[in-house]
Short mmCIF file of all heavy atoms in Angstrom, two decimals:
data_model
loop_
_atom_site.label_atom_id
_atom_site.label_comp_id
_atom_site.label_asym_id
_atom_site.label_seq_id
_atom_site.Cartn_x
_atom_site.Cartn_y
_atom_site.Cartn_z
N MET D 96 19.93 -50.92 -94.65
CA MET D 96 19.54 -50.34 -93.33
C MET D 96 19.47 -48.80 -93.45
O MET D 96 20.33 -48.24 -94.13
CB MET D 96 20.60 -50.83 -92.25
CG MET D 96 20.31 -50.20 -90.90
SD MET D 96 21.53 -50.51 -89.64
CE MET D 96 21.02 -52.10 -89.18
N ILE D 97 18.56 -48.25 -92.78
CA ILE D 97 18.45 -46.79 -92.81
C ILE D 97 19.41 -46.17 -91.71
O ILE D 97 19.34 -46.60 -90.56
CB ILE D 97 16.97 -46.36 -92.50
CG1 ILE D 97 15.98 -46.95 -93.56
CG2 ILE D 97 16.84 -44.90 -92.35
CD1 ILE D 97 14.58 -46.75 -93.28
N ASN D 98 20.25 -45.30 -92.17
CA ASN D 98 21.11 -44.68 -91.25
C ASN D 98 20.37 -43.61 -90.45
O ASN D 98 19.66 -42.81 -90.98
CB ASN D 98 22.29 -44.01 -92.03
CG ASN D 98 23.20 -45.01 -92.63
OD1 ASN D 98 23.23 -46.14 -92.19
ND2 ASN D 98 23.85 -44.61 -93.74
N SER D 99 20.57 -43.59 -89.14
CA SER D 99 19.91 -42.58 -88.32
C SER D 99 20.77 -41.41 -88.19
O SER D 99 22.03 -41.52 -88.03
CB SER D 99 19.54 -43.24 -86.98
OG SER D 99 20.70 -43.59 -86.29
N ASN D 100 20.19 -40.24 -88.17
CA ASN D 100 20.89 -39.08 -88.00
C ASN D 100 20.22 -38.29 -86.82
O ASN D 100 19.19 -37.78 -86.88
CB ASN D 100 20.81 -38.15 -89.26
CG ASN D 100 21.57 -36.84 -89.16
OD1 ASN D 100 22.14 -36.55 -88.12
ND2 ASN D 100 21.66 -36.16 -90.23
N PRO D 101 20.92 -38.16 -85.62
CA PRO D 101 20.35 -37.58 -84.51
C PRO D 101 20.05 -36.08 -84.63
O PRO D 101 19.21 -35.60 -83.94
CB PRO D 101 21.33 -37.89 -83.39
CG PRO D 101 22.62 -38.11 -84.20
CD PRO D 101 22.23 -38.59 -85.45
N ASN D 102 20.69 -35.48 -85.53
CA ASN D 102 20.58 -34.06 -85.72
C ASN D 102 20.32 -33.68 -87.14
O ASN D 102 21.12 -33.00 -87.76
CB ASN D 102 21.72 -33.14 -85.20
CG ASN D 102 21.91 -33.33 -83.70
OD1 ASN D 102 20.93 -33.26 -82.93
ND2 ASN D 102 23.05 -33.63 -83.24
N PRO D 103 19.16 -34.07 -87.80
CA PRO D 103 19.00 -33.68 -89.20
C PRO D 103 18.79 -32.31 -89.36
O PRO D 103 18.30 -31.50 -88.54
CB PRO D 103 17.74 -34.53 -89.56
CG PRO D 103 16.97 -34.52 -88.23
CD PRO D 103 18.01 -34.72 -87.19
N LYS D 104 19.29 -31.79 -90.58
CA LYS D 104 19.12 -30.31 -90.78
C LYS D 104 17.63 -30.10 -91.28
O LYS D 104 17.08 -30.82 -92.11
CB LYS D 104 19.97 -29.94 -92.01
CG LYS D 104 21.48 -30.13 -91.67
CD LYS D 104 22.29 -29.19 -92.54
CE LYS D 104 23.84 -29.43 -92.29
NZ LYS D 104 24.28 -28.85 -91.06
N MET D 105 17.07 -29.19 -90.60
CA MET D 105 15.64 -28.86 -90.76
C MET D 105 15.51 -27.31 -90.91
O MET D 105 16.12 -26.57 -90.28
CB MET D 105 14.71 -29.38 -89.65
CG MET D 105 14.76 -30.82 -89.50
SD MET D 105 13.79 -31.35 -87.99
CE MET D 105 12.17 -31.10 -88.65
N SER D 106 14.51 -26.92 -91.86
CA SER D 106 14.30 -25.54 -91.91
C SER D 106 13.37 -25.10 -90.71
O SER D 106 12.77 -25.93 -90.04
CB SER D 106 13.60 -25.21 -93.24
OG SER D 106 12.32 -25.78 -93.25
N ARG D 107 13.25 -23.71 -90.65
CA ARG D 107 12.35 -23.33 -89.50
C ARG D 107 10.83 -23.75 -89.72
O ARG D 107 10.13 -24.10 -88.76
CB ARG D 107 12.42 -21.83 -89.43
CG ARG D 107 11.59 -21.21 -88.23
CD ARG D 107 11.96 -19.84 -87.80
NE ARG D 107 13.43 -19.70 -87.42
CZ ARG D 107 13.84 -19.92 -86.22
NH1 ARG D 107 13.08 -20.54 -85.32
NH2 ARG D 107 15.09 -19.67 -85.90
N ASP D 108 10.45 -23.76 -90.99
CA ASP D 108 9.09 -24.20 -91.35
C ASP D 108 8.89 -25.76 -90.97
O ASP D 108 7.79 -26.03 -90.43
CB ASP D 108 8.72 -23.90 -92.75
CG ASP D 108 8.74 -22.46 -93.09
OD1 ASP D 108 8.46 -21.63 -92.23
OD2 ASP D 108 8.90 -22.13 -94.25
N GLU D 109 9.90 -26.48 -91.24
CA GLU D 109 9.71 -27.92 -90.89
C GLU D 109 9.64 -28.16 -89.32
O GLU D 109 8.90 -29.01 -88.91
CB GLU D 109 10.97 -28.67 -91.47
CG GLU D 109 10.91 -28.87 -92.95
CD GLU D 109 12.26 -29.45 -93.45
OE1 GLU D 109 13.26 -29.21 -92.90
OE2 GLU D 109 12.04 -30.29 -94.50
N ILE D 110 10.42 -27.39 -88.68
CA ILE D 110 10.34 -27.49 -87.20
C ILE D 110 9.07 -27.00 -86.65
O ILE D 110 8.41 -27.71 -85.77
CB ILE D 110 11.58 -26.55 -86.56
CG1 ILE D 110 12.89 -27.17 -86.90
CG2 ILE D 110 11.39 -26.50 -85.00
CD1 ILE D 110 14.12 -26.26 -86.61
N VAL D 111 8.50 -25.91 -87.09
CA VAL D 111 7.21 -25.45 -86.72
C VAL D 111 6.05 -26.51 -86.99
O VAL D 111 5.25 -26.83 -86.25
CB VAL D 111 6.84 -24.11 -87.31
CG1 VAL D 111 5.39 -23.62 -87.09
CG2 VAL D 111 7.82 -23.04 -86.78
N SER D 112 6.19 -27.02 -88.17
CA SER D 112 5.18 -28.07 -88.67
C SER D 112 5.28 -29.28 -87.81
O SER D 112 4.26 -29.86 -87.41
CB SER D 112 5.44 -28.40 -90.12
OG SER D 112 4.63 -29.46 -90.47
N PHE D 113 6.51 -29.76 -87.47
CA PHE D 113 6.70 -30.91 -86.59
C PHE D 113 6.15 -30.69 -85.21
O PHE D 113 5.38 -31.53 -84.69
CB PHE D 113 8.15 -31.27 -86.59
CG PHE D 113 8.48 -32.35 -85.54
CD1 PHE D 113 8.27 -33.66 -85.86
CD2 PHE D 113 9.00 -32.01 -84.32
CE1 PHE D 113 8.52 -34.69 -84.95
CE2 PHE D 113 9.33 -33.05 -83.38
CZ PHE D 113 9.06 -34.33 -83.69
N ARG D 114 6.42 -29.50 -84.64
CA ARG D 114 5.98 -29.22 -83.28
C ARG D 114 4.44 -29.15 -83.30
O ARG D 114 3.79 -29.57 -82.27
CB ARG D 114 6.61 -27.96 -82.80
CG ARG D 114 8.08 -28.21 -82.46
CD ARG D 114 8.67 -26.99 -81.86
NE ARG D 114 10.14 -27.11 -81.55
CZ ARG D 114 10.98 -26.30 -81.19
NH1 ARG D 114 10.61 -25.04 -81.15
NH2 ARG D 114 12.18 -26.65 -80.88
N ARG D 115 3.88 -28.53 -84.31
CA ARG D 115 2.36 -28.48 -84.36
C ARG D 115 1.76 -29.83 -84.49
O ARG D 115 0.74 -30.12 -83.76
CB ARG D 115 2.05 -27.67 -85.62
CG ARG D 115 0.45 -27.37 -85.67
CD ARG D 115 0.05 -26.55 -86.88
NE ARG D 115 0.93 -25.32 -87.08
CZ ARG D 115 1.64 -25.17 -88.21
NH1 ARG D 115 1.60 -26.01 -89.27
NH2 ARG D 115 2.43 -24.08 -88.34
N SER D 116 2.39 -30.68 -85.28
CA SER D 116 1.94 -32.03 -85.49
C SER D 116 1.93 -32.84 -84.14
O SER D 116 1.00 -33.54 -83.78
CB SER D 116 2.75 -32.76 -86.59
OG SER D 116 2.37 -34.13 -86.60
N VAL D 117 3.06 -32.72 -83.42
CA VAL D 117 3.15 -33.39 -82.13
C VAL D 117 2.17 -32.89 -81.19
O VAL D 117 1.50 -33.67 -80.45
CB VAL D 117 4.65 -33.23 -81.63
CG1 VAL D 117 4.67 -33.77 -80.15
CG2 VAL D 117 5.63 -33.96 -82.42
N MET D 118 1.97 -31.62 -81.08
CA MET D 118 0.98 -30.96 -80.17
C MET D 118 -0.42 -31.40 -80.41
O MET D 118 -1.12 -31.81 -79.56
CB MET D 118 1.12 -29.46 -80.22
CG MET D 118 0.23 -28.77 -79.14
SD MET D 118 0.62 -29.27 -77.43
CE MET D 118 2.17 -28.49 -77.28
N ASN D 119 -0.72 -31.57 -81.71
CA ASN D 119 -2.10 -32.03 -82.12
C ASN D 119 -2.28 -33.49 -81.72
O ASN D 119 -3.35 -33.81 -81.21
CB ASN D 119 -2.30 -31.76 -83.61
CG ASN D 119 -2.50 -30.39 -84.06
OD1 ASN D 119 -2.82 -29.54 -83.13
ND2 ASN D 119 -2.39 -30.05 -85.33
N ARG D 120 -1.31 -34.25 -81.88
CA ARG D 120 -1.40 -35.70 -81.43
C ARG D 120 -1.49 -35.79 -80.05
O ARG D 120 -2.32 -36.59 -79.42
CB ARG D 120 -0.21 -36.45 -82.01
CG ARG D 120 -0.34 -36.77 -83.41
CD ARG D 120 0.89 -37.63 -83.88
NE ARG D 120 0.85 -37.79 -85.35
CZ ARG D 120 0.43 -38.84 -85.96
NH1 ARG D 120 0.00 -39.83 -85.15
NH2 ARG D 120 0.44 -38.88 -87.24
N MET D 121 -0.76 -34.91 -79.22
CA MET D 121 -0.91 -35.02 -77.73
C MET D 121 -2.24 -34.58 -77.20
O MET D 121 -2.74 -35.15 -76.23
CB MET D 121 0.21 -34.11 -77.12
CG MET D 121 1.60 -34.77 -77.35
SD MET D 121 2.92 -33.57 -76.72
CE MET D 121 2.52 -33.34 -75.05
N LEU D 122 -2.82 -33.56 -77.92
CA LEU D 122 -4.13 -33.09 -77.53
C LEU D 122 -5.24 -33.83 -78.08
O LEU D 122 -6.43 -33.57 -77.73
CB LEU D 122 -4.19 -31.57 -77.85
CG LEU D 122 -3.19 -30.66 -77.25
CD1 LEU D 122 -3.37 -29.22 -77.71
CD2 LEU D 122 -3.40 -30.62 -75.74
N GLY D 123 -5.07 -34.82 -79.02
CA GLY D 123 -6.11 -35.59 -79.57
C GLY D 123 -6.78 -34.87 -80.74
O GLY D 123 -7.94 -35.19 -81.06
N LYS D 124 -6.22 -33.84 -81.24
CA LYS D 124 -6.89 -33.07 -82.33
C LYS D 124 -6.44 -33.70 -83.67
O LYS D 124 -5.55 -33.19 -84.39
CB LYS D 124 -6.42 -31.60 -82.31
CG LYS D 124 -6.88 -30.80 -81.08
CD LYS D 124 -6.45 -29.44 -81.14
CE LYS D 124 -6.84 -28.62 -79.89
NZ LYS D 124 -6.30 -27.25 -79.95
N LEU D 125 -7.06 -34.77 -84.05
CA LEU D 125 -6.78 -35.48 -85.21
C LEU D 125 -7.94 -35.44 -86.22
O LEU D 125 -9.05 -35.32 -85.83
CB LEU D 125 -6.35 -36.83 -85.00
CG LEU D 125 -5.32 -37.18 -84.00
CD1 LEU D 125 -5.21 -38.70 -83.63
CD2 LEU D 125 -3.99 -36.72 -84.54
N SER D 126 -7.59 -35.41 -87.46
CA SER D 126 -8.62 -35.45 -88.50
C SER D 126 -9.19 -36.92 -88.52
O SER D 126 -8.63 -37.82 -88.01
CB SER D 126 -8.07 -35.12 -89.91
OG SER D 126 -7.20 -36.12 -90.34
N ALA D 127 -10.33 -37.06 -89.23
CA ALA D 127 -10.99 -38.39 -89.23
C ALA D 127 -10.05 -39.37 -89.93
O ALA D 127 -9.97 -40.61 -89.56
CB ALA D 127 -12.22 -38.29 -90.03
N ASP D 128 -9.33 -38.97 -91.01
CA ASP D 128 -8.42 -39.78 -91.74
C ASP D 128 -7.27 -40.27 -90.79
O ASP D 128 -6.89 -41.43 -90.78
CB ASP D 128 -7.88 -39.19 -92.96
CG ASP D 128 -9.04 -38.95 -93.94
OD1 ASP D 128 -9.95 -39.66 -93.99
OD2 ASP D 128 -8.85 -38.10 -94.89
N GLU D 129 -6.70 -39.24 -90.08
CA GLU D 129 -5.63 -39.61 -89.19
C GLU D 129 -6.05 -40.63 -88.10
O GLU D 129 -5.27 -41.50 -87.72
CB GLU D 129 -4.94 -38.37 -88.56
CG GLU D 129 -4.21 -37.43 -89.58
CD GLU D 129 -3.84 -36.17 -88.95
OE1 GLU D 129 -4.62 -35.64 -88.08
OE2 GLU D 129 -2.75 -35.70 -89.31
N SER D 130 -7.18 -40.35 -87.55
CA SER D 130 -7.68 -41.18 -86.48
C SER D 130 -7.93 -42.59 -86.94
O SER D 130 -7.58 -43.59 -86.32
CB SER D 130 -9.01 -40.57 -85.94
OG SER D 130 -9.52 -41.40 -84.96
N ARG D 131 -8.48 -42.69 -88.17
CA ARG D 131 -8.78 -43.95 -88.77
C ARG D 131 -7.49 -44.78 -88.99
O ARG D 131 -7.29 -45.90 -88.74
CB ARG D 131 -9.56 -43.87 -90.03
CG ARG D 131 -10.05 -45.17 -90.74
CD ARG D 131 -11.03 -44.96 -91.82
NE ARG D 131 -10.95 -43.71 -92.60
CZ ARG D 131 -11.77 -42.71 -92.39
NH1 ARG D 131 -12.66 -42.69 -91.58
NH2 ARG D 131 -11.51 -41.63 -93.15
N ALA D 132 -6.41 -44.07 -89.56
CA ALA D 132 -5.20 -44.67 -89.81
C ALA D 132 -4.56 -45.14 -88.56
O ALA D 132 -3.85 -46.24 -88.59
CB ALA D 132 -4.24 -43.64 -90.53
N LEU D 133 -4.57 -44.33 -87.47
CA LEU D 133 -3.96 -44.73 -86.24
C LEU D 133 -4.72 -46.01 -85.64
O LEU D 133 -4.06 -46.89 -85.05
CB LEU D 133 -4.05 -43.58 -85.20
CG LEU D 133 -3.01 -42.55 -85.51
CD1 LEU D 133 -3.18 -41.33 -84.44
CD2 LEU D 133 -1.58 -43.02 -85.42
N SER D 134 -6.07 -46.00 -85.71
CA SER D 134 -6.72 -47.15 -85.15
C SER D 134 -6.43 -48.48 -85.95
O SER D 134 -6.31 -49.54 -85.41
CB SER D 134 -8.23 -46.92 -85.08
OG SER D 134 -8.72 -46.78 -86.45
N GLN D 135 -6.27 -48.32 -87.26
CA GLN D 135 -5.99 -49.49 -88.05
C GLN D 135 -4.52 -49.92 -87.89
O GLN D 135 -4.25 -51.11 -87.72
CB GLN D 135 -6.11 -49.13 -89.62
CG GLN D 135 -7.55 -49.02 -90.07
CD GLN D 135 -7.58 -48.53 -91.47
OE1 GLN D 135 -6.71 -48.08 -92.06
NE2 GLN D 135 -8.81 -48.62 -92.00
N ARG D 136 -3.63 -49.01 -87.57
CA ARG D 136 -2.25 -49.40 -87.20
C ARG D 136 -2.22 -50.13 -85.86
O ARG D 136 -1.51 -51.05 -85.74
CB ARG D 136 -1.40 -48.09 -87.25
CG ARG D 136 0.04 -48.45 -86.92
CD ARG D 136 0.82 -47.20 -86.94
NE ARG D 136 2.17 -47.45 -86.47
CZ ARG D 136 3.30 -47.44 -87.16
NH1 ARG D 136 3.21 -47.14 -88.49
NH2 ARG D 136 4.47 -47.60 -86.75
N LYS D 137 -2.99 -49.65 -84.88
CA LYS D 137 -3.06 -50.23 -83.61
C LYS D 137 -3.59 -51.72 -83.71
O LYS D 137 -3.01 -52.56 -83.14
CB LYS D 137 -4.00 -49.40 -82.70
CG LYS D 137 -4.06 -50.02 -81.25
CD LYS D 137 -4.92 -49.15 -80.42
CE LYS D 137 -5.06 -49.77 -79.04
NZ LYS D 137 -5.86 -48.97 -78.16
N ILE D 138 -4.58 -51.88 -84.55
CA ILE D 138 -5.10 -53.29 -84.75
C ILE D 138 -4.09 -54.16 -85.37
O ILE D 138 -3.91 -55.29 -84.98
CB ILE D 138 -6.48 -53.19 -85.64
CG1 ILE D 138 -7.53 -52.55 -84.87
CG2 ILE D 138 -6.80 -54.61 -86.10
CD1 ILE D 138 -8.70 -52.16 -85.71
N GLN D 139 -3.38 -53.67 -86.44
CA GLN D 139 -2.26 -54.46 -87.04
C GLN D 139 -1.21 -54.83 -86.03
O GLN D 139 -0.71 -55.92 -86.07
CB GLN D 139 -1.72 -53.66 -88.35
CG GLN D 139 -0.64 -54.48 -88.98
CD GLN D 139 -1.21 -55.70 -89.64
OE1 GLN D 139 -2.40 -55.76 -90.02
NE2 GLN D 139 -0.35 -56.75 -89.61
N ILE D 140 -0.85 -53.87 -85.20
CA ILE D 140 0.21 -54.13 -84.21
C ILE D 140 -0.20 -55.32 -83.22
O ILE D 140 0.52 -56.14 -82.93
CB ILE D 140 0.63 -52.83 -83.43
CG1 ILE D 140 1.36 -51.85 -84.39
CG2 ILE D 140 1.42 -53.18 -82.24
CD1 ILE D 140 1.53 -50.50 -83.81
N GLU D 141 -1.44 -55.13 -82.82
CA GLU D 141 -1.98 -56.22 -81.87
C GLU D 141 -2.06 -57.52 -82.56
O GLU D 141 -1.63 -58.51 -81.95
CB GLU D 141 -3.33 -55.74 -81.44
CG GLU D 141 -3.28 -54.64 -80.45
CD GLU D 141 -4.66 -54.06 -80.12
OE1 GLU D 141 -5.73 -54.56 -80.73
OE2 GLU D 141 -4.80 -53.19 -79.30
N ARG D 142 -2.42 -57.59 -83.88
CA ARG D 142 -2.52 -58.89 -84.58
C ARG D 142 -0.98 -59.44 -84.67
O ARG D 142 -0.79 -60.62 -84.51
CB ARG D 142 -3.05 -58.65 -85.95
CG ARG D 142 -4.46 -58.55 -86.03
CD ARG D 142 -4.92 -58.36 -87.51
NE ARG D 142 -6.29 -58.06 -87.53
CZ ARG D 142 -6.77 -57.34 -88.55
NH1 ARG D 142 -6.10 -57.12 -89.60
NH2 ARG D 142 -8.01 -56.94 -88.58
N THR D 143 -0.06 -58.57 -84.96
CA THR D 143 1.36 -59.03 -85.18
C THR D 143 1.87 -59.60 -83.90
O THR D 143 2.47 -60.60 -83.83
CB THR D 143 2.17 -57.92 -85.74
OG1 THR D 143 1.70 -57.47 -87.03
CG2 THR D 143 3.62 -58.40 -85.95
N ALA D 144 1.63 -58.91 -82.86
CA ALA D 144 2.05 -59.35 -81.50
C ALA D 144 1.55 -60.62 -81.10
O ALA D 144 2.20 -61.52 -80.60
CB ALA D 144 1.77 -58.22 -80.41
N LYS D 145 0.06 -60.79 -81.35
CA LYS D 145 -0.44 -62.05 -81.09
C LYS D 145 0.13 -63.21 -81.85
O LYS D 145 0.33 -64.24 -81.39
CB LYS D 145 -1.96 -61.94 -81.32
CG LYS D 145 -2.75 -63.14 -80.81
CD LYS D 145 -4.22 -62.95 -81.03
CE LYS D 145 -5.00 -64.08 -80.67
NZ LYS D 145 -6.47 -63.95 -80.96
N ARG D 146 0.39 -62.93 -83.10
CA ARG D 146 0.98 -64.01 -84.00
C ARG D 146 2.37 -64.42 -83.54
O ARG D 146 2.68 -65.50 -83.50
CB ARG D 146 1.00 -63.46 -85.41
CG ARG D 146 1.38 -64.64 -86.40
CD ARG D 146 1.25 -64.16 -87.88
NE ARG D 146 2.17 -63.09 -88.14
CZ ARG D 146 1.81 -62.01 -88.85
NH1 ARG D 146 0.63 -61.93 -89.30
NH2 ARG D 146 2.73 -61.10 -89.07
N ILE D 147 3.12 -63.40 -83.10
CA ILE D 147 4.51 -63.80 -82.64
C ILE D 147 4.42 -64.49 -81.44
O ILE D 147 5.25 -65.51 -81.30
CB ILE D 147 5.31 -62.35 -82.43
CG1 ILE D 147 5.61 -61.75 -83.69
CG2 ILE D 147 6.64 -62.61 -81.58
CD1 ILE D 147 6.21 -60.28 -83.64
N ILE D 148 3.55 -64.14 -80.41
CA ILE D 148 3.50 -64.82 -79.16
C ILE D 148 3.05 -66.25 -79.41
O ILE D 148 3.50 -67.27 -78.79
CB ILE D 148 2.64 -64.03 -78.20
CG1 ILE D 148 3.38 -62.83 -77.71
CG2 ILE D 148 2.26 -64.90 -76.93
CD1 ILE D 148 2.51 -61.86 -76.91
N THR D 149 2.02 -66.43 -80.34
CA THR D 149 1.52 -67.75 -80.65
C THR D 149 2.61 -68.63 -81.25
O THR D 149 2.75 -69.85 -80.95
CB THR D 149 0.31 -67.66 -81.62
OG1 THR D 149 -0.73 -66.85 -81.00
CG2 THR D 149 -0.26 -69.03 -81.97
N ASN D 150 3.37 -68.10 -82.16
CA ASN D 150 4.44 -68.91 -82.85
C ASN D 150 5.59 -69.28 -81.87
O ASN D 150 6.44 -70.11 -82.12
CB ASN D 150 5.02 -68.02 -84.01
CG ASN D 150 4.07 -67.99 -85.13
OD1 ASN D 150 3.12 -68.85 -85.25
ND2 ASN D 150 4.31 -67.07 -86.02
N ASN D 151 5.65 -68.53 -80.68
CA ASN D 151 6.76 -68.81 -79.79
C ASN D 151 6.12 -69.57 -78.54
O ASN D 151 6.75 -69.44 -77.36
CB ASN D 151 7.46 -67.52 -79.35
CG ASN D 151 8.30 -67.05 -80.39
OD1 ASN D 151 9.31 -67.65 -80.66
ND2 ASN D 151 7.87 -65.92 -81.02
N GLY D 152 5.19 -70.39 -78.70
CA GLY D 152 4.67 -71.18 -77.58
C GLY D 152 4.06 -70.46 -76.40
O GLY D 152 4.12 -70.87 -75.39
N GLY D 153 3.54 -69.27 -76.75
CA GLY D 153 2.83 -68.45 -75.71
C GLY D 153 3.84 -67.49 -74.97
O GLY D 153 3.33 -66.90 -73.97
N LYS D 154 5.04 -67.53 -75.31
CA LYS D 154 6.01 -66.65 -74.75
C LYS D 154 6.32 -65.50 -75.47
O LYS D 154 6.43 -65.67 -76.76
CB LYS D 154 7.21 -67.40 -74.31
CG LYS D 154 6.99 -68.59 -73.35
CD LYS D 154 8.37 -69.23 -73.00
CE LYS D 154 8.09 -70.37 -72.00
NZ LYS D 154 9.29 -70.98 -71.58
N ASN D 155 6.61 -64.41 -74.88
CA ASN D 155 7.00 -63.15 -75.57
C ASN D 155 8.48 -63.15 -75.73
O ASN D 155 9.20 -63.01 -74.77
CB ASN D 155 6.53 -61.92 -74.84
CG ASN D 155 6.76 -60.60 -75.56
OD1 ASN D 155 7.69 -60.53 -76.38
ND2 ASN D 155 5.91 -59.63 -75.41
N PRO D 156 9.09 -63.32 -76.98
CA PRO D 156 10.56 -63.39 -77.03
C PRO D 156 11.25 -62.13 -76.70
O PRO D 156 12.43 -62.07 -76.42
CB PRO D 156 10.65 -63.80 -78.56
CG PRO D 156 9.54 -63.25 -79.16
CD PRO D 156 8.38 -63.39 -78.28
N ILE D 157 10.55 -60.99 -76.76
CA ILE D 157 11.24 -59.67 -76.49
C ILE D 157 11.33 -59.48 -74.95
O ILE D 157 12.38 -59.21 -74.55
CB ILE D 157 10.39 -58.58 -77.06
CG1 ILE D 157 10.41 -58.72 -78.65
CG2 ILE D 157 10.95 -57.21 -76.67
CD1 ILE D 157 9.46 -57.77 -79.33
N LEU D 158 10.34 -59.85 -74.29
CA LEU D 158 10.29 -59.72 -72.79
C LEU D 158 10.88 -60.83 -72.07
O LEU D 158 11.26 -60.80 -70.89
CB LEU D 158 8.84 -59.35 -72.33
CG LEU D 158 8.26 -58.15 -72.84
CD1 LEU D 158 6.82 -57.96 -72.36
CD2 LEU D 158 9.12 -56.86 -72.52
N GLY D 159 10.85 -62.04 -72.67
CA GLY D 159 11.35 -63.23 -72.06
C GLY D 159 10.47 -64.03 -71.20
O GLY D 159 10.91 -64.92 -70.55
N TYR D 160 9.27 -63.73 -71.21
CA TYR D 160 8.26 -64.52 -70.49
C TYR D 160 7.02 -64.66 -71.23
O TYR D 160 6.68 -63.99 -72.22
CB TYR D 160 8.00 -63.99 -69.07
CG TYR D 160 7.49 -62.48 -69.16
CD1 TYR D 160 6.10 -62.32 -69.16
CD2 TYR D 160 8.35 -61.46 -68.94
CE1 TYR D 160 5.71 -60.94 -69.14
CE2 TYR D 160 7.87 -60.18 -68.90
CZ TYR D 160 6.58 -59.93 -69.04
OH TYR D 160 6.13 -58.62 -69.03
#
């Protein structure tokens, strides 16, 4: 299991890079590769959710209905 650290040590450059990355995602300023990767991930998530719901008799085990 991966241990979570709520306050990881980061350099100032890492913080600036992280904030820039978050802002670009919020504003939709993504490169073609990033956009393609996100769309493929979304498709995979939808397939997985559909398979889980199908395997559980049409019920979502996380939400309980």
Side-chain angles (χ1 to χ4, degrees):
M96 178 186 276
I97 298 173
N98 294 331
S99 63
N100 182 356
N102 295 315
K104 298 206 184 278
M105 297 175 73
S106 69
R107 183 161 303 278
D108 292 335
E109 289 173 322
I110 294 169
V111 170
S112 174
F113 173 78
R114 288 182 178 171
R115 186 180 315 119
S116 175
V117 170
M118 186 60 70
N119 286 341
R120 285 180 185 259
M121 288 174 56
L122 296 176
K124 296 179 181 177
L125 302 174
S126 68
D128 292 337
E129 290 173 327
S130 179
R131 186 173 27 261
L133 287 175
S134 66
Q135 288 175 348
R136 183 177 169 109
K137 182 178 177 182
I138 291 169
Q139 182 62 36
I140 289 169
E141 290 171 355
R142 284 184 193 156
T143 303
K145 186 176 179 181
R146 187 172 64 222
I147 290 170
I148 291 171
T149 301
N150 289 340
N151 286 291
K154 296 183 178 181
N155 187 328
I157 297 170
L158 300 176
Y160 58 85

